[in-house]
Amino acid sequence: MVRISATTSLTQWRATDIVKALKTGQISPHDLLDALETRIGKVDTWVNALPILCFQHARQEADRILKRPVEERGTLCGLPVPIKDLDDVKGVRTSFGSAPFADYVAPENCYMVDQLENEGAIVYAKSNTPEFGAGGNTFNDVHGVTRNPRNLDMSAAGSSGGAAAALASGTAWLAQGSDNAGSLRSPASFCGVVGFRPTPGVVVRGPSANPYQTLLSNGPMARNVGNL
């Protein structure tokens, strides 16, 4: 059994401590992005949690945040967060795990990403998902299989398996996922982290071509309950 543990420098810190350190100036968003890039290079070849990386985009966003006074940098104050590869981030690929969309680049943020960035989140990666989020295991023809960091022979579940695996392998402090029938909760249970499904509508969704999809809920994932 092969394990990937969430260790190494800043990547081992709790999300709450990271945000405190950002607000006091002890660390900067660039320190966090450097730590993540190093950690991803070490472990994600095996785990495949974050197949789409956008560090150039993230560093530009970090520069933008640092131009604002600390009290205006939002709740997350420059904390990097991966977005599930079903949701648009302007200028970044959104493949939906589907071959026809493998090279699609989003022209605009979805509403949720706008809201997260307004609160100081920095998007640095897209997390893997089954095609169109339809499945209890995270694999697709574009990015392949996401493996469970607790045991690389095992499933990370789905459909937010990439987000859960990133948390468990130390390549994210917090992550965004979505849930229609367990897609935040099942991967969290498989990977030993926490996923929370809010009441549908509490977290903004859209724009959407399907206004009748009312049960899906965006929600947070973290390494433990205290960090949600």
Side-chain angles (χ1 to χ4, degrees), residues 197-221:
R197 183 183 192 271
T199 300
V202 169
V203 180
V204 65
R205 292 184 55 239
S208 173
N210 180 8
Y212 305 105
Q213 169 54 284
T214 59
L215 297 180
L216 184 67
S217 179
N218 287 316
M221 303 184 78

Side-chain angles (χ1 to χ4, degrees), residues 162-198:
L167 291 164
S169 61
T171 57
W173 292 281
L174 296 179
Q176 173 267 339
S178 56
D179 188 315
N180 193 48
S183 290
L184 283 160
R185 296 159 288 170
S186 295
S189 68
F190 276 46
C191 293
V193 296
V194 180
F196 180 75
R197 183 183 192 271

Side-chain angles (χ1 to χ4, degrees), residues 53-123:
L53 302 177
C54 51
F55 278 100
Q56 181 178 357
H57 165 94
R59 290 188 169 93
Q60 290 171 349
E61 182 65 16
D63 288 339
R64 189 183 70 83
I65 287 175
L66 289 171
K67 291 178 182 177
R68 306 200 307 250
V70 170
E71 62 273 12
E72 296 178 11
R73 294 178 188 173
T75 303
L76 297 178
C77 200
L79 181 74
V81 177
I83 299 298
K84 191 173 179 179
D85 192 28
L86 299 178
D87 295 292
D88 285 349
V89 178
K90 183 178 180 179
V92 179
R93 289 169 60 203
T94 301
S95 77
F96 309 99
S98 182
F101 296 95
D103 297 317
Y104 171 71
V105 176
E108 300 292 340
N109 286 342
C110 69
Y111 300 150
M112 176 198 62
V113 169
D114 274 340
Q115 192 172 65
L116 283 170
E117 289 185 343
N118 287 340
E119 289 297 333
I122 295 176
V123 179

Side-chain angles (χ1 to χ4, degrees), residues 28-45:
S28 81
H30 288 291
D31 297 325
L32 303 178
L33 293 170
D34 290 345
L36 286 169
E37 195 164 24
T38 298
R39 180 66 178 170
I40 289 168
K42 288 181 178 179
V43 306
D44 210 48
T45 299

